[in-house]
Amino acid sequence: MSHLDIISKVCAAAPVIPILTIDRVEDARPLAQALVAGGLPSLEITLRTEAALDCIAAIADIDGALVGAGTLLTASQVQDAKAAGAVFGVSPGATTSIINAVQKFDLPLLPGSATATEAMRLLEYGFTYQKFFPAEAVGGAAALGSLAGPLPQIIFCPTGGISPENAKSYLALPNILCVGGSWIAPKALISIGDWEQITQRARLAAALLQ
Ligand code: 3PG
């Protein structure tokens, strides 16, 4: 599959990509299983904790899961994410070194953009799927609706400030397949291992398009 096909599959799998920040590697498997059981197969593990790469490695083989590495900021993180078993990467913005690294290390990328110029630059590199970040702070669903006019060929995954309350306004737009958010599995629920509650939240998120 091409990078584009993989990112398209990741974004089309469910209306929400949970953004996961995991401190303890032992939490990774039950957490990922809880989310997949709730109907959310695409998972973004942020590289913001010491345990993140080990967490990716621990869940990479879970049946039905599409495991990605988020908060990619450097070329070496791209290399590490690929080595850990990530099938895709997500970056809050995009730099030339990240763009070169995902080609070199063969990691499909959902790169971040927040303006028409950034989105157009990424389009020149062939990125027709982009993360729109930080979504609420840069204009939310209204901004994305405006971008759909001149740039209808770009599918955005908005993240940053998305909640169960505002998710539907994004998902109703023609240029959105899914949103990303940390609300499905907040740190507080992960720390007490409340996997059942997380599956519940995943079910509600998976049903957002129905
Ligand atoms: C990210 O980590 O990409 C987003 O900042 C997540 O945003 P949220 O915590 O507002 O969902």
Short mmCIF file of all heavy atoms in Angstrom, two decimals, residues 19 44 46 48 131 133 159-162 180-183, ligand 1:
data_model
loop_
_atom_site.label_atom_id
_atom_site.label_comp_id
_atom_site.label_asym_id
_atom_site.label_seq_id
_atom_site.Cartn_x
_atom_site.Cartn_y
_atom_site.Cartn_z
N ILE A 19 -5.93 10.36 20.91
CA ILE A 19 -4.55 10.80 21.10
C ILE A 19 -4.14 10.40 22.51
O ILE A 19 -4.74 10.84 23.49
CB ILE A 19 -4.43 12.32 20.86
CG1 ILE A 19 -4.83 12.63 19.41
CG2 ILE A 19 -3.01 12.80 21.16
CD1 ILE A 19 -4.87 14.10 19.05
N GLU A 44 -3.18 7.07 18.14
CA GLU A 44 -1.97 7.91 18.07
C GLU A 44 -1.31 7.95 19.44
O GLU A 44 -1.89 8.46 20.40
CB GLU A 44 -2.33 9.33 17.61
CG GLU A 44 -1.13 10.26 17.60
CD GLU A 44 -1.50 11.71 17.29
OE1 GLU A 44 -2.52 11.97 16.61
OE2 GLU A 44 -0.75 12.60 17.76
N THR A 46 1.46 9.61 21.54
CA THR A 46 2.34 10.78 21.46
C THR A 46 3.73 10.43 22.01
O THR A 46 3.85 9.73 23.01
CB THR A 46 1.79 11.98 22.25
OG1 THR A 46 1.81 11.66 23.65
CG2 THR A 46 0.36 12.31 21.84
N ARG A 48 5.62 11.85 23.90
CA ARG A 48 5.83 12.86 24.93
C ARG A 48 6.19 12.25 26.27
O ARG A 48 6.28 12.96 27.26
CB ARG A 48 4.56 13.70 25.12
CG ARG A 48 4.19 14.51 23.91
CD ARG A 48 2.97 15.36 24.19
NE ARG A 48 2.26 15.62 22.97
CZ ARG A 48 1.01 16.01 22.91
NH1 ARG A 48 0.31 16.18 24.01
NH2 ARG A 48 0.44 16.21 21.74
N LYS A 131 -3.22 17.00 9.26
CA LYS A 131 -3.77 17.29 10.58
C LYS A 131 -3.97 18.81 10.64
O LYS A 131 -3.07 19.56 10.24
CB LYS A 131 -2.75 16.83 11.63
CG LYS A 131 -2.94 17.37 13.03
CD LYS A 131 -1.99 16.68 13.98
CE LYS A 131 -1.93 17.43 15.32
NZ LYS A 131 -1.76 16.53 16.46
N PHE A 133 -4.11 21.72 13.04
CA PHE A 133 -3.75 21.90 14.45
C PHE A 133 -3.24 23.31 14.70
O PHE A 133 -2.48 23.82 13.88
CB PHE A 133 -2.66 20.88 14.82
CG PHE A 133 -2.15 21.06 16.22
CD1 PHE A 133 -2.86 20.53 17.30
CD2 PHE A 133 -0.98 21.77 16.47
CE1 PHE A 133 -2.40 20.71 18.60
CE2 PHE A 133 -0.52 21.95 17.77
CZ PHE A 133 -1.23 21.42 18.83
N THR A 159 -7.36 18.51 15.18
CA THR A 159 -7.10 18.14 16.57
C THR A 159 -6.71 19.39 17.35
O THR A 159 -6.27 20.38 16.78
CB THR A 159 -5.98 17.09 16.73
OG1 THR A 159 -4.72 17.75 16.71
CG2 THR A 159 -6.00 16.02 15.67
N GLY A 160 -6.91 19.30 18.65
CA GLY A 160 -6.61 20.43 19.52
C GLY A 160 -7.90 21.11 19.91
O GLY A 160 -8.46 21.88 19.14
N GLY A 161 -8.39 20.75 21.09
CA GLY A 161 -9.62 21.38 21.58
C GLY A 161 -10.90 20.70 21.11
O GLY A 161 -11.99 21.25 21.28
N ILE A 162 -10.78 19.52 20.49
CA ILE A 162 -12.00 18.82 20.05
C ILE A 162 -12.60 18.08 21.25
O ILE A 162 -11.89 17.51 22.07
CB ILE A 162 -11.71 17.81 18.92
CG1 ILE A 162 -10.79 18.41 17.85
CG2 ILE A 162 -13.01 17.30 18.31
CD1 ILE A 162 -11.36 19.47 17.00
N GLY A 180 -9.18 14.20 15.82
CA GLY A 180 -8.31 13.59 16.82
C GLY A 180 -8.57 14.24 18.16
O GLY A 180 -8.92 15.42 18.22
N GLY A 181 -8.41 13.46 19.24
CA GLY A 181 -8.63 14.08 20.55
C GLY A 181 -8.18 13.21 21.69
O GLY A 181 -8.13 11.98 21.58
N SER A 182 -7.86 13.87 22.79
CA SER A 182 -7.39 13.15 23.98
C SER A 182 -8.53 12.83 24.94
O SER A 182 -8.32 12.14 25.93
CB SER A 182 -6.32 13.97 24.69
OG SER A 182 -6.87 15.20 25.11
N TRP A 183 -9.77 13.31 24.62
CA TRP A 183 -10.84 13.17 25.60
C TRP A 183 -11.27 11.71 25.82
O TRP A 183 -11.80 11.38 26.87
CB TRP A 183 -12.04 14.04 25.23
CG TRP A 183 -13.03 13.42 24.29
CD1 TRP A 183 -14.09 12.62 24.63
CD2 TRP A 183 -13.07 13.54 22.86
NE1 TRP A 183 -14.77 12.24 23.49
CE2 TRP A 183 -14.17 12.78 22.40
CE3 TRP A 183 -12.28 14.22 21.92
CZ2 TRP A 183 -14.50 12.69 21.04
CZ3 TRP A 183 -12.61 14.12 20.58
CH2 TRP A 183 -13.70 13.37 20.15
C1 3PG B 1 -2.46 16.76 20.13
O1 3PG B 1 -1.81 16.26 21.04
O2 3PG B 1 -2.25 16.59 18.93
C2 3PG B 1 -3.58 17.63 20.50
O3 3PG B 1 -3.06 18.69 21.21
C3 3PG B 1 -4.61 16.96 21.35
O4 3PG B 1 -5.48 17.95 21.69
P1 3PG B 1 -6.59 17.77 22.82
O5 3PG B 1 -5.85 17.35 24.08
O6 3PG B 1 -7.21 19.13 22.92
O7 3PG B 1 -7.53 16.71 22.35
#
